[in-house]
Amino acid sequence: MIYIVFQNGQDAQRLFAELSKAPQPYGKLLYDDKTITVFFHESNVAHMRALFIPIFTSCIIRAFEARWLLSIISRTFFYENEEEQQQILQLAYSFIDGERHDYRLGKKTNMPREQLIAQSLHECLHEGLFSFESLMTFRLKPYYDRLMHYVELAIDEYKLEQEYQSFVHMLREIVASRPPQMSVVHLLYENETFQFFDDHFFYMSPQQLKQLIDRRLMVSQPMYIDTSVLAPLVSLAPEKIYMYTDATDIGMIQTIQNVFQERIELRTPLDFPKKYAYNDIHNE
């Protein structure tokens, strides 16, 4: 038998609700006056604990993890705006779920957070009676440190995204304020390379593009602007850009779309009339 004692009745009810929804191959549960009691079916307590710990671990994550992450975001890093908190929380989960690369950890192996919790529970459950608050404060510190790590990653990513949005907004304003230097630009993306063509599909070499860049644009802006693709496009500020690509998830392509918005028309590389361009490229 195990007794889990709570100071906060709402926490006790929340965890009991999660445990009640989960399979109970280990035994049965009882909740009474801020205490959850776990009854084991078998006398082999070690076997029953082995069944109970993974379920208890999952229930802790479902019941409390998001709240603990939000607490770190607001109390440790002082983000008080609810919308900002939710954005950072979603970014934290993108690192937790492996959707984003943990650049601080690199290729090092990382013990799953479930295992961190399970290790702490093994220690507590041997005692038979423990306080959930003491579990959170002392035994779950390695897990809490992991949550802190994910929040730090999320805040770094959030700041980068804010800077990126400011950068895109700045370029939009520059494009809107400049008279178009060309009516149409055809932009072909193939083999990880961008190729520029004018409205008659004549190839524009990198040397030509560099000459077209407005140097004031490069000097006056606080952030680096790519000189091979973005700077020529912003300097030209064309009325229409036909972009031929199948790779819409490429960062530069997404940035061009975000900056030029309705001026962009996406097409596939198969739509590009290459017979007009090949001779010009080879004659460069």
Side-chain angles (χ1 to χ4, degrees), residues 223-260:
M223 296 183 68
Y224 170 77
I225 301 178
D226 169 78
T227 56
S228 61
V229 180
L230 202 53
L233 278 177
V234 173
S235 298
L236 291 170
E239 295 175 351
K240 192 73 176 180
I241 301 172
Y242 294 98
M243 186 183 297
Y244 303 82
T245 180
D246 288 325
T248 54
D249 58 340
I250 301 298
M252 178 59 75
I253 290 175
Q254 292 176 344
T255 298
I256 293 169
Q257 288 181 275
N258 290 334
V259 171
F260 289 91

Side-chain angles (χ1 to χ4, degrees), residues 3 13 51 53 72 83 139-140 197 264 266 271:
Y3 297 95
Q13 292 173 13
L51 294 174
I53 285 175
I72 295 170
E83 184 178 345
R139 302 290 179 87
L140 287 180
F197 301 85
I264 288 279
L266 288 178
D271 296 324

Side-chain angles (χ1 to χ4, degrees), residues 24-37:
Q24 298 177 22
Y26 49 84
K28 65 177 182 177
L29 300 167
L30 178 66
Y31 172 69
D32 180 47
D33 191 26
K34 299 183 182 179
T35 301
I36 297 175
T37 307

Side-chain angles (χ1 to χ4, degrees), residues 2-8 11 15 34-36 56 60 120-121 124-125 127-140:
I2 298 171
Y3 297 95
I4 310 169
V5 182
F6 292 77
Q7 292 179 9
N8 186 313
D11 286 350
L15 185 57
K34 299 183 182 179
T35 301
I36 297 175
F56 193 24
I60 286 176
S120 301
L121 292 177
C124 289
L125 296 186
E127 300 169 6
L129 169 66
F130 67 91
S131 160
F132 187 72
E133 282 72 24
S134 68
L135 170 71
M136 287 169 42
T137 304
F138 302 108
R139 302 290 179 87
L140 287 180

